């Protein structure tokens, strides 16, 4: 069935706006070439988007040739401002950006373990307000919050799955009450996976699993280029995965006894201590070789033994995920994945190959600590663009 004229215009407008987002400023001729549309259709499209305040002339092209220069059209970046929050157990980080996703201001603040819910929430809100002011933004269109915990697929609310601070859930509610903006919340690991898919280590993959290895342990599942959340929003809660080598079995109220016990930050620190190291010494980022840290010093047997032991632990959890999903690629993220870098990823890949017949590439995060915040910013940007550009037609 042929699309109606209004649907066809919506598809064409959305396609052109996406090109301007991805390619930067373009001339009408370039838009014609990239869209395959006729010159009159492109002229109408540009005029329509210009009247709507989404596109403006940002310069000229063709100064190097004879004849009149062609106008360059670009998105109106300040048509909307966005904010992204990365809410950790002991800190909050904020980025404020324009509609193109260009960072205008960013800041972070620690939040102590002993902070009461009210003061902790006010501290986070005050940080956001200061950062918005510093960015020169009058108001926010969309705000995305990345936090640990489950996101209820029916309500979109943050649910506690492992004793998270109460102020995490309260913060989202306060932001929704106070801000005249779209406020969304998503699991931090899912946001990291979105960022790695679109801008990081998994840009060339449609299927992969991201293992989040930090204070908490989790995973995000991307299949067919889409994030998979599960029926209850809990796809990837591998901290609860029963595995050998732990003190017992996990429960519905706690992940002690699960994979969390082998791979969380505290477990990594304890494992490093067994080898006479701190986790900071044992895990090093950068271009580390297979046998030691990227510190410029000679590798020690302790470093190699620690990385081997940690890789065996991580491969246990990875093997369970791979045996069910066969994603072909695993990305190691979070503090441990980032600091371990390519050296740790190579070891996990080797251990995983010994445990599973399914060929799986193991990669280190490309975005490091910025992955959650970047994923949140992408979510906020997509939300704002859907609202301003018009939601994409089905199948687009």
């Amino acid at each position: 069935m042929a699309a109606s004229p209004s649907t066809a215009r919506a598809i064409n407008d959305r396609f052109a706006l996406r090109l301007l987002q991805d390619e930067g400023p373009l001339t009408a001729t370039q838009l014609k070439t990239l869209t395959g549309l006729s010159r009159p259709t492109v002229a109408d499209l540009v005029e329509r988007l210009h009247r709507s305040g989404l596109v403006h002339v940002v310069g000229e092209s063709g100064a190097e040739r004879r004849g009149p220069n062609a106008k360059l059209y670009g998105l109106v970046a300040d048509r909307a401002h966005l904010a992204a929050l990365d809410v950790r157990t002991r800190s909050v980080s904020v980025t404020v950006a324009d509609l193109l996703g260009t960072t205008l201001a960013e800041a972070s603040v620690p939040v102590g373990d002993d902070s009461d819910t009210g003061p902790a929430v006010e501290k986070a809100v005050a940080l956001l307000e200061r950062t918005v002011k510093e960015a020169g933004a009058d108001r926010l269109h969309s705000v995305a919050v990345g936090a640990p915990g489950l996101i209820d697929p029916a309500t979109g609310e943050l649910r506690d799955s492992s004793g998270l601070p109460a102020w995490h859930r309260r913060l989202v509610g306060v932001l929704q009450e106070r801000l005249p903006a779209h406020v969304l919340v998503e699991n931090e690991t899912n946001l990291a996976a979105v960022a790695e898919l679109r801008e990081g280590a998994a840009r060339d993959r449609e299927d992969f699993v991201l293992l989040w290895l930090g204070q908490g342990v989790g995973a995000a599942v991307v299949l067919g280029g889409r994030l998979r959340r599960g029926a209850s929003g809990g796809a990837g809660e591998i901290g609860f995965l029963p595995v050998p080598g732990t003190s017992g079995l996990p429960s519905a109220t706690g992940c002690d006894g699960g994979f969390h016990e082998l791979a969380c930050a505290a477990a990594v620190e304890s494992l490093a201590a067994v080898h006479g190291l701190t986790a900071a010494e044992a895990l090093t980022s950068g271009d580390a070789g297979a046998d030691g840290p990227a510190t410029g010093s000679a590798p020690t047997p302790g470093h190699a033994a620690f990385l081997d032991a940690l890789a065996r632990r991580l491969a246990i959890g990875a093997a369970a995920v791979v045996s069910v999903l066969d994603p072909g690629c695993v990305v190691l993220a979070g503090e441990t994945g980032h600091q371990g870098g390519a050296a740790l990823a190579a070891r996990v890949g080797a251990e995983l190959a010994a445990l599973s017949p399914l060929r799986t590439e193991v990669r280190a995060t490309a975005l490091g600590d910025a992955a959650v915040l970047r994923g949140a910013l992408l979510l906020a940007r997509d939300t704002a663009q859907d609202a301003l550009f018009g939601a994409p037609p089905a199948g687009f």
Side-chain angles (χ1 to χ4, degrees):
M1 181 180 296
S4 67
S6 60
T7 299
R9 284 194 296 271
I11 293 173
N12 293 340
D13 289 358
R14 182 80 186 195
F15 189 22
L17 289 165
R18 178 184 290 177
L19 287 170
L20 292 170
Q21 166 72 60
D22 295 340
E23 304 293 334
L26 298 168
T27 65
T29 298
Q30 289 171 326
L31 281 170
K32 173 182 176 298
T33 301
L34 292 170
T35 61
L37 299 173
S38 68
R39 189 174 298 276
T41 299
V42 170
D44 290 343
L45 177 154
V46 169
E47 177 61 24
R48 187 165 56 249
L49 296 178
H50 188 271
R51 287 198 310 268
S52 69
L54 293 171
V55 168
H56 63 162
V57 177
V58 297
E60 294 183 340
S61 175
E64 71 285 350
R65 59 176 175 79
R66 294 180 179 180
N69 296 338
K71 294 178 180 178
L72 275 170
Y73 296 95
L75 294 180
V76 180
D78 61 359
R79 175 66 187 273
H81 289 99
L82 325 167
L85 285 79
D86 181 2
V87 180
R88 304 290 178 97
T89 305
R90 299 185 180 91
S91 67
V92 178
S93 297
V94 174
T95 292
V96 177
D98 61 24
L99 186 58
L100 292 172
T102 302
T103 297
L104 303 176
E106 53 190 352
S108 60
V109 65
V111 180
D113 292 339
D114 56 349
S115 296
D116 292 332
T117 299
V121 168
E122 292 304 321
K123 195 172 187 178
V125 173
L127 176 69
L128 175 60
E129 292 173 343
R130 290 196 304 271
T131 310
V132 169
K133 184 177 181 179
E134 181 183 342
D138 295 330
R139 56 173 292 176
L140 296 173
H141 182 284
S142 300
V143 178
V145 181
L150 301 179
I151 307 301
D152 190 316
T155 65
E157 295 179 350
L158 179 66
R159 293 167 46 202
D160 182 10
S161 60
S162 55
L164 296 171
W167 66 269
H168 281 195
R169 296 187 301 282
R170 181 58 185 144
L171 173 61
V172 175
V174 168
L175 292 176
Q176 291 171 334
E177 293 167 3
R178 296 189 187 180
L179 296 179
H182 299 278
V183 178
L184 311 100
V185 60
E186 179 59 272
N187 173 267
E188 61 179 355
T189 307
N190 286 346
L191 289 176
V194 169
E196 297 286 357
L197 171 67
R198 293 170 61 173
E199 300 181 350
R203 281 177 294 178
D204 61 337
R205 310 289 306 203
E206 287 197 343
D207 301 333
F208 74 99
V209 169
L210 180 138
L211 295 187
W212 183 265
L213 307 167
Q215 284 190 315
V217 175
V221 179
V222 175
L223 298 175
R226 295 181 58 190
L227 184 68
R228 307 293 174 166
R229 294 179 175 84
S232 62
E237 284 292 319
I238 61 168
F240 291 88
L241 185 71
V243 294
T246 63
S247 60
L249 290 173
S251 70
T253 58
C255 52
D256 290 341
F259 182 56
H260 172 91
E261 190 174 306
L262 295 182
C264 69
V268 173
E269 186 70 54
S270 296
L271 182 62
V274 170
H275 293 84
L277 302 163
T278 66
E281 292 171 335
L283 285 168
T284 52
S285 59
D287 297 324
D291 294 316
T295 60
S297 59
T300 67
H303 281 101
F306 163 78
L307 288 174
D308 288 341
L310 178 59
R312 284 192 291 272
R313 290 187 177 191
L314 299 183
I316 291 173
V321 174
V322 165
S323 67
V324 175
L325 299 176
D326 189 17
C329 180
V330 171
V331 175
L332 304 183
E335 180 182 350
T336 298
H338 175 44
Q339 293 182 343
L344 179 60
R347 281 173 159 84
V348 174
E351 294 289 342
L352 184 56
L355 292 176
S356 171
L358 306 178
R359 296 178 60 182
T360 307
E361 183 180 3
V362 179
R363 302 176 178 178
T365 170
L367 299 176
D369 293 339
V372 175
L373 206 54
R374 188 60 193 170
L377 188 58
L378 289 170
L379 175 59
R381 191 183 75 183
D382 289 349
T383 300
Q385 290 186 359
D386 283 347
L388 296 173
F389 299 174
F396 181 67

